Amino acid sequence: MLVVHETAGAGYPWSTLQNSSAAPKFDIVRANPDAERAAFQGWIQRAKAEELFTAAGLDFAALKDSARSADFKPVVLPGLTMSVDFGQIADKVETKNVIARIPGSERPNETVMYGAHWDGYGVGTPNAQGDKIYDAAVDNATGVAALLELAHAFAEGPRPKRSVVFAAWSGEEAGLLGSTYYAANPVWPLETTVANINVDSLLPGTEIDPNVVVIGKGKNQLDDILARHATETGRTLIADPAPQAGAFYRSDHFPLALKGVPALFPAAGFTGASAASRDYVQNRYHQPTDEWDSTWTMDAAAADVALIYAVGRDLADGDQWPEWNAGAEFGPARDTSKASRR
């Protein structure tokens, strides 16, 4: 399987893939990996894909358009064959999700969860300046810093009525592996996990954006709680300005959403909603230039963290069970868990 890369669709340039290509690739331990994974998978630039289709007498753009239809069927590339020869070293490594919990004072078996991934790309392909360290300062050291501050705020405030969990996930950049593992092996039951609030990539700066970008806006009732608190501070929710990048399906709330847990993903870093965000995606996202700068101020990020703290506190002290909105693809899984919750 080859993914055809287009900058507009992916939300990042081809150079991002090139720069991270030397990093090791990981997966969780699977009972039958051959049944669950493709034998060979990779990426190809659109221009090269168009060349292949032209050589087969086919129109890539036309087929891409027809593939949007639900009744699309795969087509053969006439006259083309592919030979793949590559060496690989398979090894087992151990990593950790890091999880903390404040037990609820009244309903400890009900869980409100915050999550942020602590991993980056480590050492990869050197850039033009010879830097090969992928520091991951914005993505996602900012999210982990926010997670710690949220934990401090809950620990220093009144004991929440529901339990609150703070999860630092491993392996997000390798394919959401830490959160995928947790979704398959939950420490606390997912059917009694009220919500999962994802924190990923907060931009430095002093100017608080009046707009709060919500990845996956409209999918569930958590938006309503966030909107109420945002309005109190003079801010407004807006949808992801780059939905074609599929950000809702490539961050750590997603494996839990597949199990039915309602997810909230307010984001600033890679949405393209502001000039700072666009500059970050183009010049630093998943590159060695995502480095800490001692001149940074985090006023805007602090405002975002205060906002998601208010949402979590609302959920932790209330008795509401946010649901997926009608038509959301994750609703049926929640309906099943809701029945077992009763």
Side-chain angles (χ1 to χ4, degrees), residues 48-98:
K48 291 298 179 183
E50 289 176 337
E51 288 181 18
L52 285 175
F53 277 65
T54 299
L58 299 172
D59 185 324
F60 176 87
L63 281 168
K64 178 186 172 182
D65 187 60
S66 64
R68 293 188 172 97
S69 171
D71 59 1
F72 176 79
K73 297 293 188 295
V75 300
V76 173
L77 300 181
L80 298 186
T81 61
M82 183 175 185
S83 176
V84 178
D85 182 14
F86 59 92
Q88 62 181 11
I89 300 172
D91 199 2
K92 285 187 178 181
V93 298
E94 185 174 282
T95 185
K96 301 287 186 181
N97 292 325
V98 182

mmCIF file of all heavy atoms in Angstrom, residues 48-98:
data_model
loop_
_atom_site.group_PDB
_atom_site.id
_atom_site.type_symbol
_atom_site.label_atom_id
_atom_site.label_comp_id
_atom_site.label_asym_id
_atom_site.label_seq_id
_atom_site.Cartn_x
_atom_site.Cartn_y
_atom_site.Cartn_z
ATOM 1 N N LYS A 48 4.771 11.563 -8.852
ATOM 2 C CA LYS A 48 5.224 10.229 -9.244
ATOM 3 C C LYS A 48 4.031 9.291 -9.436
ATOM 4 O O LYS A 48 4.035 8.424 -10.314
ATOM 5 C CB LYS A 48 6.171 9.672 -8.183
ATOM 6 C CG LYS A 48 7.505 10.400 -8.120
ATOM 7 C CD LYS A 48 8.259 10.282 -9.428
ATOM 8 C CE LYS A 48 9.582 11.019 -9.396
ATOM 9 N NZ LYS A 48 10.277 10.955 -10.718
ATOM 10 N N ALA A 49 3.007 9.448 -8.597
ATOM 11 C CA ALA A 49 1.804 8.636 -8.770
ATOM 12 C C ALA A 49 1.144 8.933 -10.115
ATOM 13 O O ALA A 49 0.686 8.020 -10.812
ATOM 14 C CB ALA A 49 0.830 8.908 -7.632
ATOM 15 N N GLU A 50 1.118 10.195 -10.498
ATOM 16 C CA GLU A 50 0.531 10.565 -11.791
ATOM 17 C C GLU A 50 1.312 9.932 -12.941
ATOM 18 O O GLU A 50 0.724 9.486 -13.931
ATOM 19 C CB GLU A 50 0.503 12.086 -11.925
ATOM 20 C CG GLU A 50 -0.527 12.754 -11.012
ATOM 21 C CD GLU A 50 -0.468 14.265 -11.100
ATOM 22 O OE1 GLU A 50 0.599 14.801 -11.482
ATOM 23 O OE2 GLU A 50 -1.487 14.917 -10.794
ATOM 24 N N GLU A 51 2.651 9.880 -12.806
ATOM 25 C CA GLU A 51 3.467 9.243 -13.839
ATOM 26 C C GLU A 51 3.103 7.770 -13.987
ATOM 27 O O GLU A 51 2.999 7.248 -15.105
ATOM 28 C CB GLU A 51 4.953 9.378 -13.484
ATOM 29 C CG GLU A 51 5.522 10.775 -13.639
ATOM 30 C CD GLU A 51 7.003 10.814 -13.278
ATOM 31 O OE1 GLU A 51 7.644 9.731 -13.255
ATOM 32 O OE2 GLU A 51 7.514 11.914 -13.017
ATOM 33 N N LEU A 52 2.926 7.086 -12.852
ATOM 34 C CA LEU A 52 2.565 5.671 -12.888
ATOM 35 C C LEU A 52 1.228 5.461 -13.581
ATOM 36 O O LEU A 52 1.073 4.565 -14.424
ATOM 37 C CB LEU A 52 2.503 5.104 -11.468
ATOM 38 C CG LEU A 52 3.835 4.836 -10.760
ATOM 39 C CD1 LEU A 52 3.580 4.396 -9.324
ATOM 40 C CD2 LEU A 52 4.621 3.763 -11.502
ATOM 41 N N PHE A 53 0.238 6.286 -13.225
ATOM 42 C CA PHE A 53 -1.094 6.142 -13.813
ATOM 43 C C PHE A 53 -1.057 6.444 -15.310
ATOM 44 O O PHE A 53 -1.709 5.757 -16.101
ATOM 45 C CB PHE A 53 -2.091 7.059 -13.097
ATOM 46 C CG PHE A 53 -2.631 6.470 -11.824
ATOM 47 C CD1 PHE A 53 -1.802 6.235 -10.742
ATOM 48 C CD2 PHE A 53 -3.976 6.153 -11.694
ATOM 49 C CE1 PHE A 53 -2.275 5.691 -9.573
ATOM 50 C CE2 PHE A 53 -4.469 5.603 -10.532
ATOM 51 C CZ PHE A 53 -3.622 5.368 -9.454
ATOM 52 N N THR A 54 -0.291 7.452 -15.695
ATOM 53 C CA THR A 54 -0.172 7.791 -17.116
ATOM 54 C C THR A 54 0.450 6.641 -17.888
ATOM 55 O O THR A 54 0.011 6.283 -18.992
ATOM 56 C CB THR A 54 0.666 9.071 -17.297
ATOM 57 O OG1 THR A 54 0.015 10.154 -16.632
ATOM 58 C CG2 THR A 54 0.834 9.410 -18.781
ATOM 59 N N ALA A 55 1.483 6.029 -17.293
ATOM 60 C CA ALA A 55 2.130 4.883 -17.943
ATOM 61 C C ALA A 55 1.165 3.724 -18.112
ATOM 62 O O ALA A 55 1.307 2.900 -19.022
ATOM 63 C CB ALA A 55 3.349 4.440 -17.125
ATOM 64 N N ALA A 56 0.161 3.640 -17.250
ATOM 65 C CA ALA A 56 -0.840 2.572 -17.336
ATOM 66 C C ALA A 56 -2.041 2.990 -18.181
ATOM 67 O O ALA A 56 -3.022 2.235 -18.278
ATOM 68 C CB ALA A 56 -1.304 2.196 -15.937
ATOM 69 N N GLY A 57 -1.976 4.194 -18.771
ATOM 70 C CA GLY A 57 -3.078 4.671 -19.604
ATOM 71 C C GLY A 57 -4.278 5.155 -18.801
ATOM 72 O O GLY A 57 -5.405 5.155 -19.311
ATOM 73 N N LEU A 58 -4.058 5.583 -17.562
ATOM 74 C CA LEU A 58 -5.149 6.007 -16.683
ATOM 75 C C LEU A 58 -4.945 7.451 -16.243
ATOM 76 O O LEU A 58 -3.829 7.987 -16.277
ATOM 77 C CB LEU A 58 -5.218 5.093 -15.448
ATOM 78 C CG LEU A 58 -5.481 3.608 -15.718
ATOM 79 C CD1 LEU A 58 -5.320 2.804 -14.433
ATOM 80 C CD2 LEU A 58 -6.869 3.410 -16.315
ATOM 81 N N ASP A 59 -6.051 8.072 -15.845
ATOM 82 C CA ASP A 59 -6.038 9.460 -15.404
ATOM 83 C C ASP A 59 -6.145 9.493 -13.882
ATOM 84 O O ASP A 59 -7.193 9.193 -13.321
ATOM 85 C CB ASP A 59 -7.214 10.210 -16.043
ATOM 86 C CG ASP A 59 -7.207 11.704 -15.744
ATOM 87 O OD1 ASP A 59 -6.817 12.087 -14.624
ATOM 88 O OD2 ASP A 59 -7.619 12.493 -16.625
ATOM 89 N N PHE A 60 -5.067 9.871 -13.219
ATOM 90 C CA PHE A 60 -5.053 9.858 -11.752
ATOM 91 C C PHE A 60 -6.127 10.773 -11.178
ATOM 92 O O PHE A 60 -6.871 10.383 -10.262
ATOM 93 C CB PHE A 60 -3.674 10.285 -11.230
ATOM 94 C CG PHE A 60 -3.607 10.387 -9.727
ATOM 95 C CD1 PHE A 60 -3.314 9.276 -8.953
ATOM 96 C CD2 PHE A 60 -3.836 11.594 -9.075
ATOM 97 C CE1 PHE A 60 -3.267 9.347 -7.573
ATOM 98 C CE2 PHE A 60 -3.791 11.685 -7.690
ATOM 99 C CZ PHE A 60 -3.501 10.562 -6.940
ATOM 100 N N ALA A 61 -6.210 12.008 -11.696
ATOM 101 C CA ALA A 61 -7.157 12.974 -11.145
ATOM 102 C C ALA A 61 -8.594 12.477 -11.274
ATOM 103 O O ALA A 61 -9.401 12.616 -10.348
ATOM 104 C CB ALA A 61 -6.989 14.330 -11.837
ATOM 105 N N ALA A 62 -8.912 11.883 -12.422
ATOM 106 C CA ALA A 62 -10.272 11.379 -12.633
ATOM 107 C C ALA A 62 -10.588 10.228 -11.690
ATOM 108 O O ALA A 62 -11.683 10.149 -11.121
ATOM 109 C CB ALA A 62 -10.446 10.950 -14.083
ATOM 110 N N LEU A 63 -9.615 9.326 -11.498
ATOM 111 C CA LEU A 63 -9.843 8.198 -10.603
ATOM 112 C C LEU A 63 -9.921 8.647 -9.144
ATOM 113 O O LEU A 63 -10.705 8.115 -8.358
ATOM 114 C CB LEU A 63 -8.745 7.158 -10.777
ATOM 115 C CG LEU A 63 -8.900 6.263 -12.002
ATOM 116 C CD1 LEU A 63 -7.629 5.474 -12.269
ATOM 117 C CD2 LEU A 63 -10.078 5.308 -11.818
ATOM 118 N N LYS A 64 -9.117 9.651 -8.799
ATOM 119 C CA LYS A 64 -9.198 10.184 -7.441
ATOM 120 C C LYS A 64 -10.590 10.747 -7.180
ATOM 121 O O LYS A 64 -11.176 10.545 -6.107
ATOM 122 C CB LYS A 64 -8.135 11.267 -7.230
ATOM 123 C CG LYS A 64 -8.197 11.905 -5.853
ATOM 124 C CD LYS A 64 -7.235 13.069 -5.727
ATOM 125 C CE LYS A 64 -7.466 13.803 -4.410
ATOM 126 N NZ LYS A 64 -6.591 14.981 -4.262
ATOM 127 N N ASP A 65 -11.120 11.449 -8.163
ATOM 128 C CA ASP A 65 -12.461 12.021 -8.016
ATOM 129 C C ASP A 65 -13.518 10.920 -7.892
ATOM 130 O O ASP A 65 -14.409 10.988 -7.043
ATOM 131 C CB ASP A 65 -12.762 12.927 -9.214
ATOM 132 C CG ASP A 65 -14.057 13.686 -9.038
ATOM 133 O OD1 ASP A 65 -14.165 14.460 -8.065
ATOM 134 O OD2 ASP A 65 -14.981 13.488 -9.847
ATOM 135 N N SER A 66 -13.396 9.877 -8.696
ATOM 136 C CA SER A 66 -14.388 8.804 -8.641
ATOM 137 C C SER A 66 -14.267 7.990 -7.354
ATOM 138 O O SER A 66 -15.233 7.391 -6.890
ATOM 139 C CB SER A 66 -14.252 7.892 -9.864
ATOM 140 O OG SER A 66 -13.003 7.233 -9.863
ATOM 141 N N ALA A 67 -13.077 8.000 -6.742
ATOM 142 C CA ALA A 67 -12.873 7.252 -5.499
ATOM 143 C C ALA A 67 -13.641 7.858 -4.327
ATOM 144 O O ALA A 67 -13.783 7.238 -3.280
ATOM 145 C CB ALA A 67 -11.385 7.186 -5.166
ATOM 146 N N ARG A 68 -14.159 9.071 -4.518
ATOM 147 C CA ARG A 68 -14.970 9.693 -3.464
ATOM 148 C C ARG A 68 -16.364 9.073 -3.381
ATOM 149 O O ARG A 68 -17.087 9.303 -2.421
ATOM 150 C CB ARG A 68 -15.095 11.196 -3.715
ATOM 151 C CG ARG A 68 -13.779 11.964 -3.577
ATOM 152 C CD ARG A 68 -14.011 13.468 -3.640
ATOM 153 N NE ARG A 68 -12.796 14.210 -3.321
ATOM 154 C CZ ARG A 68 -11.956 14.698 -4.217
ATOM 155 N NH1 ARG A 68 -12.202 14.509 -5.514
ATOM 156 N NH2 ARG A 68 -10.869 15.359 -3.855
ATOM 157 N N SER A 69 -16.717 8.308 -4.374
ATOM 158 C CA SER A 69 -18.031 7.672 -4.386
ATOM 159 C C SER A 69 -18.001 6.383 -3.573
ATOM 160 O O SER A 69 -17.018 5.635 -3.600
ATOM 161 C CB SER A 69 -18.448 7.365 -5.828
ATOM 162 O OG SER A 69 -19.610 6.578 -5.854
ATOM 163 N N ALA A 70 -19.087 6.125 -2.856
ATOM 164 C CA ALA A 70 -19.157 4.919 -2.010
ATOM 165 C C ALA A 70 -19.111 3.638 -2.819
ATOM 166 O O ALA A 70 -18.739 2.585 -2.301
ATOM 167 C CB ALA A 70 -20.425 4.964 -1.159
ATOM 168 N N ASP A 71 -19.492 3.691 -4.101
ATOM 169 C CA ASP A 71 -19.499 2.470 -4.906
ATOM 170 C C ASP A 71 -18.224 2.305 -5.748
ATOM 171 O O ASP A 71 -18.168 1.481 -6.643
ATOM 172 C CB ASP A 71 -20.737 2.431 -5.809
ATOM 173 C CG ASP A 71 -20.810 3.628 -6.755
ATOM 174 O OD1 ASP A 71 -19.885 4.478 -6.728
ATOM 175 O OD2 ASP A 71 -21.796 3.719 -7.510
ATOM 176 N N PHE A 72 -17.185 3.096 -5.415
ATOM 177 C CA PHE A 72 -15.917 2.976 -6.139
ATOM 178 C C PHE A 72 -15.316 1.592 -5.949
ATOM 179 O O PHE A 72 -15.345 1.032 -4.865
ATOM 180 C CB PHE A 72 -14.929 4.037 -5.654
ATOM 181 C CG PHE A 72 -13.557 3.919 -6.272
ATOM 182 C CD1 PHE A 72 -13.328 4.384 -7.553
ATOM 183 C CD2 PHE A 72 -12.506 3.334 -5.575
ATOM 184 C CE1 PHE A 72 -12.065 4.278 -8.139
ATOM 185 C CE2 PHE A 72 -11.243 3.222 -6.145
ATOM 186 C CZ PHE A 72 -11.027 3.698 -7.431
ATOM 187 N N LYS A 73 -14.769 1.038 -7.012
ATOM 188 C CA LYS A 73 -14.083 -0.263 -6.964
ATOM 189 C C LYS A 73 -12.625 -0.072 -7.392
ATOM 190 O O LYS A 73 -12.340 0.710 -8.297
ATOM 191 C CB LYS A 73 -14.767 -1.275 -7.893
ATOM 192 C CG LYS A 73 -16.207 -1.607 -7.507
ATOM 193 C CD LYS A 73 -16.267 -2.358 -6.176
ATOM 194 C CE LYS A 73 -17.675 -2.860 -5.874
ATOM 195 N NZ LYS A 73 -18.638 -1.759 -5.668
ATOM 196 N N PRO A 74 -11.702 -0.789 -6.771
ATOM 197 C CA PRO A 74 -10.288 -0.669 -7.157
ATOM 198 C C PRO A 74 -10.084 -1.018 -8.627
ATOM 199 O O PRO A 74 -10.832 -1.817 -9.199
ATOM 200 C CB PRO A 74 -9.586 -1.690 -6.255
ATOM 201 C CG PRO A 74 -10.514 -1.892 -5.103
ATOM 202 C CD PRO A 74 -11.898 -1.730 -5.659
ATOM 203 N N VAL A 75 -9.054 -0.410 -9.204
ATOM 204 C CA VAL A 75 -8.735 -0.686 -10.603
ATOM 205 C C VAL A 75 -7.300 -1.207 -10.704
ATOM 206 O O VAL A 75 -6.456 -0.912 -9.864
ATOM 207 C CB VAL A 75 -8.875 0.566 -11.495
ATOM 208 C CG1 VAL A 75 -10.297 1.097 -11.456
ATOM 209 C CG2 VAL A 75 -7.890 1.650 -11.074
ATOM 210 N N VAL A 76 -7.048 -1.990 -11.708
ATOM 211 C CA VAL A 76 -5.699 -2.501 -11.985
ATOM 212 C C VAL A 76 -4.944 -1.459 -12.804
ATOM 213 O O VAL A 76 -5.526 -0.757 -13.630
ATOM 214 C CB VAL A 76 -5.790 -3.827 -12.763
ATOM 215 C CG1 VAL A 76 -4.402 -4.288 -13.204
ATOM 216 C CG2 VAL A 76 -6.463 -4.890 -11.903
ATOM 217 N N LEU A 77 -3.623 -1.342 -12.572
ATOM 218 C CA LEU A 77 -2.781 -0.494 -13.409
ATOM 219 C C LEU A 77 -2.217 -1.379 -14.522
ATOM 220 O O LEU A 77 -1.240 -2.114 -14.300
ATOM 221 C CB LEU A 77 -1.645 0.120 -12.591
ATOM 222 C CG LEU A 77 -2.053 1.002 -11.413
ATOM 223 C CD1 LEU A 77 -0.814 1.564 -10.713
ATOM 224 C CD2 LEU A 77 -2.952 2.136 -11.865
ATOM 225 N N PRO A 78 -2.833 -1.378 -15.700
ATOM 226 C CA PRO A 78 -2.440 -2.313 -16.768
ATOM 227 C C PRO A 78 -0.975 -2.161 -17.166
ATOM 228 O O PRO A 78 -0.474 -1.049 -17.332
ATOM 229 C CB PRO A 78 -3.362 -1.926 -17.931
ATOM 230 C CG PRO A 78 -4.513 -1.229 -17.283
ATOM 231 C CD PRO A 78 -3.948 -0.503 -16.116
ATOM 232 N N GLY A 79 -0.327 -3.282 -17.302
ATOM 233 C CA GLY A 79 1.037 -3.293 -17.819
ATOM 234 C C GLY A 79 2.113 -2.949 -16.803
ATOM 235 O O GLY A 79 3.302 -2.935 -17.140
ATOM 236 N N LEU A 80 1.731 -2.664 -15.561
ATOM 237 C CA LEU A 80 2.731 -2.284 -14.570
ATOM 238 C C LEU A 80 2.923 -3.402 -13.553
ATOM 239 O O LEU A 80 1.976 -4.071 -13.153
ATOM 240 C CB LEU A 80 2.310 -1.010 -13.838
ATOM 241 C CG LEU A 80 2.156 0.272 -14.661
ATOM 242 C CD1 LEU A 80 1.885 1.451 -13.740
ATOM 243 C CD2 LEU A 80 3.385 0.541 -15.507
ATOM 244 N N THR A 81 4.146 -3.580 -13.154
ATOM 245 C CA THR A 81 4.451 -4.498 -12.054
ATOM 246 C C THR A 81 5.300 -3.742 -11.031
ATOM 247 O O THR A 81 5.853 -2.680 -11.332
ATOM 248 C CB THR A 81 5.222 -5.735 -12.534
ATOM 249 O OG1 THR A 81 6.465 -5.317 -13.112
ATOM 250 C CG2 THR A 81 4.412 -6.514 -13.559
ATOM 251 N N MET A 82 5.406 -4.321 -9.863
ATOM 252 C CA MET A 82 6.203 -3.674 -8.826
ATOM 253 C C MET A 82 7.052 -4.728 -8.133
ATOM 254 O O MET A 82 6.563 -5.802 -7.784
ATOM 255 C CB MET A 82 5.297 -2.983 -7.816
ATOM 256 C CG MET A 82 6.048 -2.211 -6.738
ATOM 257 S SD MET A 82 4.923 -1.294 -5.671
ATOM 258 C CE MET A 82 6.102 -0.415 -4.652
ATOM 259 N N SER A 83 8.315 -4.406 -7.956
ATOM 260 C CA SER A 83 9.224 -5.292 -7.243
ATOM 261 C C SER A 83 9.786 -4.519 -6.059
ATOM 262 O O SER A 83 10.293 -3.406 -6.221
ATOM 263 C CB SER A 83 10.359 -5.753 -8.153
ATOM 264 O OG SER A 83 11.277 -6.542 -7.431
ATOM 265 N N VAL A 84 9.658 -5.076 -4.880
ATOM 266 C CA VAL A 84 10.135 -4.410 -3.672
ATOM 267 C C VAL A 84 11.183 -5.278 -3.013
ATOM 268 O O VAL A 84 10.965 -6.473 -2.777
ATOM 269 C CB VAL A 84 8.961 -4.160 -2.681
ATOM 270 C CG1 VAL A 84 9.476 -3.496 -1.403
ATOM 271 C CG2 VAL A 84 7.892 -3.298 -3.334
ATOM 272 N N ASP A 85 12.331 -4.701 -2.727
ATOM 273 C CA ASP A 85 13.408 -5.434 -2.082
ATOM 274 C C ASP A 85 14.005 -4.520 -1.014
ATOM 275 O O ASP A 85 14.606 -3.499 -1.325
ATOM 276 C CB ASP A 85 14.478 -5.825 -3.098
ATOM 277 C CG ASP A 85 15.605 -6.653 -2.463
ATOM 278 O OD1 ASP A 85 15.414 -7.121 -1.327
ATOM 279 O OD2 ASP A 85 16.648 -6.800 -3.107
ATOM 280 N N PHE A 86 13.777 -4.855 0.240
ATOM 281 C CA PHE A 86 14.335 -4.019 1.296
ATOM 282 C C PHE A 86 14.704 -4.890 2.488
ATOM 283 O O PHE A 86 14.107 -5.934 2.734
ATOM 284 C CB PHE A 86 13.348 -2.928 1.722
ATOM 285 C CG PHE A 86 12.025 -3.449 2.244
ATOM 286 C CD1 PHE A 86 11.838 -3.689 3.596
ATOM 287 C CD2 PHE A 86 10.963 -3.691 1.365
ATOM 288 C CE1 PHE A 86 10.620 -4.159 4.069
ATOM 289 C CE2 PHE A 86 9.750 -4.157 1.833
ATOM 290 C CZ PHE A 86 9.575 -4.407 3.198
ATOM 291 N N GLY A 87 15.698 -4.442 3.207
ATOM 292 C CA GLY A 87 16.101 -5.155 4.407
ATOM 293 C C GLY A 87 15.533 -4.456 5.628
ATOM 294 O O GLY A 87 15.340 -3.249 5.637
ATOM 295 N N GLN A 88 15.246 -5.234 6.644
ATOM 296 C CA GLN A 88 14.772 -4.619 7.874
ATOM 297 C C GLN A 88 15.258 -5.427 9.068
ATOM 298 O O GLN A 88 15.547 -6.616 8.965
ATOM 299 C CB GLN A 88 13.249 -4.525 7.887
ATOM 300 C CG GLN A 88 12.516 -5.860 7.840
ATOM 301 C CD GLN A 88 11.006 -5.670 7.842
ATOM 302 O OE1 GLN A 88 10.515 -4.575 7.683
ATOM 303 N NE2 GLN A 88 10.287 -6.748 8.043
ATOM 304 N N ILE A 89 15.361 -4.747 10.168
ATOM 305 C CA ILE A 89 15.742 -5.380 11.425
ATOM 306 C C ILE A 89 14.565 -5.272 12.367
ATOM 307 O O ILE A 89 14.083 -4.170 12.647
ATOM 308 C CB ILE A 89 16.980 -4.693 12.034
ATOM 309 C CG1 ILE A 89 18.178 -4.785 11.086
ATOM 310 C CG2 ILE A 89 17.316 -5.304 13.393
ATOM 311 C CD1 ILE A 89 19.370 -3.977 11.530
ATOM 312 N N ALA A 90 14.078 -6.401 12.816
ATOM 313 C CA ALA A 90 12.939 -6.414 13.736
ATOM 314 C C ALA A 90 13.446 -6.668 15.145
ATOM 315 O O ALA A 90 14.241 -7.582 15.382
ATOM 316 C CB ALA A 90 11.932 -7.484 13.324
ATOM 317 N N ASP A 91 12.997 -5.844 16.068
ATOM 318 C CA ASP A 91 13.414 -5.996 17.452
ATOM 319 C C ASP A 91 12.264 -5.579 18.352
ATOM 320 O O ASP A 91 11.351 -4.867 17.916
ATOM 321 C CB ASP A 91 14.638 -5.117 17.727
ATOM 322 C CG ASP A 91 15.393 -5.569 18.973
ATOM 323 O OD1 ASP A 91 14.986 -6.564 19.590
ATOM 324 O OD2 ASP A 91 16.390 -4.909 19.308
ATOM 325 N N LYS A 92 12.288 -6.024 19.579
ATOM 326 C CA LYS A 92 11.279 -5.618 20.546
ATOM 327 C C LYS A 92 11.894 -4.597 21.503
ATOM 328 O O LYS A 92 12.977 -4.805 22.047
ATOM 329 C CB LYS A 92 10.752 -6.821 21.343
ATOM 330 C CG LYS A 92 9.808 -7.714 20.556
ATOM 331 C CD LYS A 92 9.181 -8.778 21.454
ATOM 332 C CE LYS A 92 8.191 -9.641 20.666
ATOM 333 N NZ LYS A 92 7.548 -10.670 21.527
ATOM 334 N N VAL A 93 11.198 -3.497 21.657
ATOM 335 C CA VAL A 93 11.614 -2.480 22.617
ATOM 336 C C VAL A 93 10.454 -2.234 23.568
ATOM 337 O O VAL A 93 9.295 -2.518 23.247
ATOM 338 C CB VAL A 93 12.009 -1.162 21.912
ATOM 339 C CG1 VAL A 93 13.186 -1.381 20.991
ATOM 340 C CG2 VAL A 93 10.833 -0.582 21.132
ATOM 341 N N GLU A 94 10.768 -1.717 24.722
ATOM 342 C CA GLU A 94 9.723 -1.459 25.709
ATOM 343 C C GLU A 94 9.654 0.030 25.982
ATOM 344 O O GLU A 94 10.674 0.696 26.184
ATOM 345 C CB GLU A 94 10.025 -2.203 27.014
ATOM 346 C CG GLU A 94 8.914 -2.089 28.049
ATOM 347 C CD GLU A 94 9.169 -2.943 29.281
ATOM 348 O OE1 GLU A 94 8.948 -4.178 29.200
ATOM 349 O OE2 GLU A 94 9.610 -2.379 30.297
ATOM 350 N N THR A 95 8.453 0.548 25.968
ATOM 351 C CA THR A 95 8.233 1.947 26.307
ATOM 352 C C THR A 95 7.078 1.999 27.293
ATOM 353 O O THR A 95 6.480 0.975 27.613
ATOM 354 C CB THR A 95 7.938 2.779 25.041
ATOM 355 O OG1 THR A 95 7.836 4.157 25.409
ATOM 356 C CG2 THR A 95 6.645 2.342 24.378
ATOM 357 N N LYS A 96 6.755 3.188 27.775
ATOM 358 C CA LYS A 96 5.758 3.301 28.832
ATOM 359 C C LYS A 96 4.780 4.448 28.557
ATOM 360 O O LYS A 96 5.190 5.531 28.159
ATOM 361 C CB LYS A 96 6.432 3.572 30.187
ATOM 362 C CG LYS A 96 7.428 2.525 30.646
ATOM 363 C CD LYS A 96 6.746 1.245 31.091
ATOM 364 C CE LYS A 96 7.755 0.271 31.684
ATOM 365 N NZ LYS A 96 7.119 -0.993 32.102
ATOM 366 N N ASN A 97 3.508 4.171 28.790
ATOM 367 C CA ASN A 97 2.567 5.247 29.063
ATOM 368 C C ASN A 97 2.742 5.624 30.533
ATOM 369 O O ASN A 97 2.998 4.763 31.379
ATOM 370 C CB ASN A 97 1.122 4.790 28.842
ATOM 371 C CG ASN A 97 0.805 4.526 27.387
ATOM 372 O OD1 ASN A 97 1.305 5.208 26.491
ATOM 373 N ND2 ASN A 97 -0.042 3.537 27.136
ATOM 374 N N VAL A 98 2.633 6.900 30.844
ATOM 375 C CA VAL A 98 2.755 7.361 32.227
ATOM 376 C C VAL A 98 1.401 7.922 32.647
ATOM 377 O O VAL A 98 0.899 8.868 32.032
ATOM 378 C CB VAL A 98 3.850 8.436 32.374
ATOM 379 C CG1 VAL A 98 3.993 8.853 33.838
ATOM 380 C CG2 VAL A 98 5.178 7.909 31.833
#
